Amino acid sequence: MAELDAGLTRPLIGAFSRYTLGGEVGDMIGLAKQPVLERLIATAWPLLVAFREGLIPLPAVPAVLWTLEEALRKFVLLFLSEGRRIAIDIPDVNRPS
């Protein structure tokens, strides 16, 4: 998927992942540090969340925001999986002894 955007969004997604997971986890999973983007996200994200929360009481806004957030979530999953199917098998029985 990096070919679609010439690799421009990977640093942004990595910086946001480091912001949400924390630097220690980011280091453990091998996310590259993006100091400028990380500072930008740490400053802008709380403002964006406050703005979004202020809009919630308005009519039709919750449905519109859900649609936008779901589209963003799907894009991120598609990007991070590089277009491959994500399958997580959850066992429904205990491991036999």
Side-chain angles (χ1 to χ4, degrees), residues 46-67:
L47 297 173
L48 179 63
V49 170
F51 176 73
R52 179 200 179 278
E53 294 299 315
L55 294 177
I56 293 294
L58 300 175
V61 169
V64 170
L65 289 177
W66 181 87
T67 303

Side-chain angles (χ1 to χ4, degrees), residues 25-81:
V25 173
D27 290 339
M28 287 189 327
I29 63 175
L31 291 173
K33 293 183 179 179
Q34 304 290 336
V36 173
L37 287 173
E38 288 174 31
R39 280 193 298 274
L40 178 66
I41 290 169
T43 302
W45 187 252
L47 297 173
L48 179 63
V49 170
F51 176 73
R52 179 200 179 278
E53 294 299 315
L55 294 177
I56 293 294
L58 300 175
V61 169
V64 170
L65 289 177
W66 181 87
T67 303
L68 291 172
E69 290 165 0
E70 187 65 13
L72 179 61
R73 184 185 73 81
K74 294 280 188 180
F75 170 75
V76 169
L77 285 174
L78 177 69
F79 184 85
L80 292 176
S81 70

Side-chain angles (χ1 to χ4, degrees), residues 13-23 25 31 41 45:
I13 291 173
F16 186 74
S17 298
R18 286 185 71 86
Y19 173 75
T20 57
L21 297 173
V25 173
L31 291 173
I41 290 169
W45 187 252

